[in-house]
Amino acid sequence: MAKQLMTSESVTEGHPDKIADLISDSILDAIIKEDPMGRVAVETLVSTGMVMVSGEVSANCYVDIPKIVRKTLKDVGYTRAKYGFDSETCAVITTLDEQSKDIAMGVDKSLEFKSNNSHASDSCTIGAGDQGMMFGYASNETPELMPMPILLASKMAKRLADVRKQKRISYLKPDGKTQITVEYENGKPSRVDTVVVSAQHNSGVEHETIERDIIEQVIKVVIPAELLDERTRFYINPTGRFVIGGPQADTGLTGRKIIADTYGGMARHGGGAFSGKDPTKVDRSAAYAARYVAKNIVAAGLADKCEIQLAYAIGIANPVSIYIETYGTGKVSDEQIVELINKHFDLRPGAIINDLKLRRPIYKKTACYGHFGRLDPDFHWEKTDKAEILKQAAKYS
């Protein structure tokens, strides 16, 4: 039997890079709440005692960015100077400009719309906000149709934050990372081989105490018992100490955890980050659409695994290409699946925004613990409402 090991990692909301993502998406939410048509591309940098927010915003509203930054930091748990970062006393620097008019020309009216000389109001006529390629992926190895390594790593990171906030493990601080290695046999997950957890903690806590608490209250709560065995290795704070963390220990930037945000390395990535970007940016909206398509294809039983690539050109509404990979698991041909996609999914940016209801302040809660595989009712890209349609259509195509 062929055996393989696959590893994925995740981080808590107190990790410097995730703080940056969370701030960027909190600002995006505040703007979209007041002006759903606002254009936002916000980047955040966090370092010792400082937050810098930069980017481009064009919106008919005002939001208090320093106030949003401080509240976000407070909610995460950076409320005391002894944690190395204090929401009340840190410096907040903002440097924002409006969206380039050259970019706005292509987003406001797509090339197709201009070519037709149409004057009708059509929310599906906006062009892509940039060129690039985006990937979506789904696999039937978990009920969420996600790869098991990243799903478990994300759930463990969320649990690590929960036990800290609930004071189940009172000595934990906000920063933390998780990593899971899953053993596959003939392409199917069979067991968890290795678990790594790095959890920031107060000084003076014995390593044995941290190890015991993390294993019992985090790892064994998240990972099903049948996936753990006597050969599973546990590495808890492998250096033996993790007291200094957060922005004091490491600079954080928006968009540096794009693999943890998506499929943990199991699928390819187009390279574009999500956080801080409004849905006219196809880096975000088309990646959500690609997940929606791939998940419905797998839910329909057309393939056990499916990866889809979408590619766009700035100012043009329709994708310039659609590519499908089913890794030999397809029940129909990849060409047939592409035909079904073209028939049943409208992948123009405006249609994606409408169909997935993306002009809502839903982004702050996407920033941590993965954008995919979470059954939040606001995450419309996780629905499988087209699975039956695809299944029936495949029979007669």
Side-chain angles (χ1 to χ4, degrees):
M1 299 176 69
K3 293 185 179 181
Q4 295 175 303
L5 296 176
M6 177 64 192
T7 301
S8 295
E9 72 153 358
S10 185
V11 299
T12 68
E13 62 210 58
H15 185 280
D17 292 330
K18 272 299 148 201
I19 296 171
D21 286 342
L22 199 54
I23 289 171
S24 293
D25 273 336
S26 296
I27 293 168
L28 172 62
D29 273 359
I31 293 170
I32 284 185
K33 183 178 180 180
E34 299 299 323
D35 180 8
M37 305 301 289
R39 303 279 172 79
V40 183
V42 173
E43 312 283 346
T44 302
L45 176 147
V46 298
S47 189
T48 305
M50 184 199 77
V51 176
M52 176 178 282
V53 178
S54 62
E56 298 76 44
V57 175
S58 295
N60 295 316
C61 65
Y62 167 79
V63 298
D64 189 335
I65 288 177
K67 184 177 180 180
I68 293 168
V69 169
R70 295 186 191 283
K71 183 181 186 306
T72 303
L73 293 170
K74 182 179 179 181
D75 291 345
V76 170
Y78 286 106
T79 57
R80 301 177 67 186
K82 68 181 295 184
Y83 291 165
F85 205 75
D86 186 352
S87 61
E88 293 185 2
T89 62
C90 68
V92 179
I93 302 168
T94 61
T95 169
L96 298 171
D97 205 344
E98 66 178 351
Q99 184 183 58
S100 162
K101 289 181 171 57
D102 294 346
I103 295 175
M105 285 173 58
V107 178
D108 294 340
K109 294 288 187 294
S110 69
L111 180 64
E112 296 95 325
F113 188 78
K114 294 172 185 174
S115 299
N116 291 332
N117 294 316
S118 175
H119 298 289
S121 175
D122 181 0
S123 61
C124 291
T125 59
I126 66 172
D130 201 354
Q131 70 179 45
M133 65 281 190
M134 302 83 210
F135 288 90
Y137 180 82
S139 168
N140 64 4
E141 66 189 69
T142 62
E144 296 87 350
L145 303 186
M146 284 288 287
M148 183 176 286
I150 187 61
L151 189 70
L152 292 178
S154 296
K155 287 183 176 181
M156 276 211 322
K158 177 65 164 59
R159 176 68 180 177
L160 195 59
D162 288 344
V163 296
R164 170 179 62 86
K165 291 180 173 181
Q166 296 164 3
K167 301 190 184 303
R168 291 175 179 266
I169 305 180
S170 60
Y171 52 79
L172 290 182
K173 292 182 179 180
D175 200 355
K177 302 178 76 171
T178 62
Q179 184 173 288
I180 298 280
T181 300
V182 173
E183 183 178 286
Y184 285 75
E185 292 189 15
N186 295 327
K188 299 292 183 182
S190 59
R191 58 182 291 274
V192 169
D193 182 80
T194 309
V195 183
V196 183
V197 178
S198 295
Q200 188 188 13
H201 59 89
N202 292 333
S203 60
V205 183
E206 294 292 330
H207 182 267
E208 291 75 14
T209 300
I210 298 170
E211 188 174 59
R212 182 191 66 243
D213 289 346
I214 295 296
I215 290 175
E216 293 300 321
Q217 296 198 46
V218 177
I219 295 172
K220 290 186 177 179
V221 170
V222 171
I223 301 177
E226 62 269 20
L227 294 175
L228 301 173
D229 58 29
E230 68 282 353
R231 293 182 294 136
T232 301
R233 295 171 292 176
F234 301 100
Y235 296 115
I236 314 301
N237 286 2
T239 68
R241 176 183 167 89
F242 185 7
V243 173
I244 301 172
Q248 183 184 20
D250 192 12
T251 299
L253 291 170
T254 300
R256 277 209 304 205
K257 287 293 176 283
I258 57 176
I259 299 302
D261 283 343
T262 53
Y263 308 102
M266 185 69 81
R268 286 170 284 194
H269 197 295
F274 300 157
S275 290
K277 296 178 181 177
D278 76 79
T280 66
K281 279 70 173 175
V282 285
D283 276 343
R284 183 169 218 158
S285 55
Y288 289 178
R291 162 65 176 170
Y292 178 54
V293 173
K295 189 172 184 181
N296 275 274
I297 287 168
V298 172
L302 304 186
D304 295 339
K305 300 177 182 179
C306 180
E307 181 186 74
I308 174 173
Q309 183 203 62
L310 304 176
Y312 291 85
I314 188 168
I316 297 175
N318 288 293
V320 298
S321 69
I322 299 174
Y323 173 80
I324 285 289
E325 173 62 72
T326 55
Y327 306 94
T329 69
K331 307 305 185 285
V332 298
S333 70
D334 289 354
E335 293 81 2
Q336 201 173 347
I337 292 175
V338 172
E339 290 177 7
L340 291 170
I341 292 170
N342 283 320
K343 183 175 181 180
H344 295 284
F345 295 91
D346 189 341
L347 295 172
R348 296 176 296 168
I352 292 170
I353 291 169
N354 286 344
D355 293 343
L356 301 184
K357 297 178 170 54
L358 297 181
R359 292 201 189 276
R360 298 174 296 143
I362 60 172
Y363 297 105
K364 179 180 179 180
K365 57 184 175 180
T366 70
C368 302
Y369 313 117
H371 292 245
F372 308 126
R374 295 164 58 192
L375 304 182
D376 188 296
D378 283 331
F379 297 178
H380 284 247
W381 52 90
E382 289 299 315
K383 292 187 175 183
T384 54
D385 51 350
K386 292 200 175 185
E388 190 59 34
I389 295 170
L390 292 173
K391 186 176 182 179
Q392 293 303 317
K395 291 181 180 180
Y396 303 105
S397 62

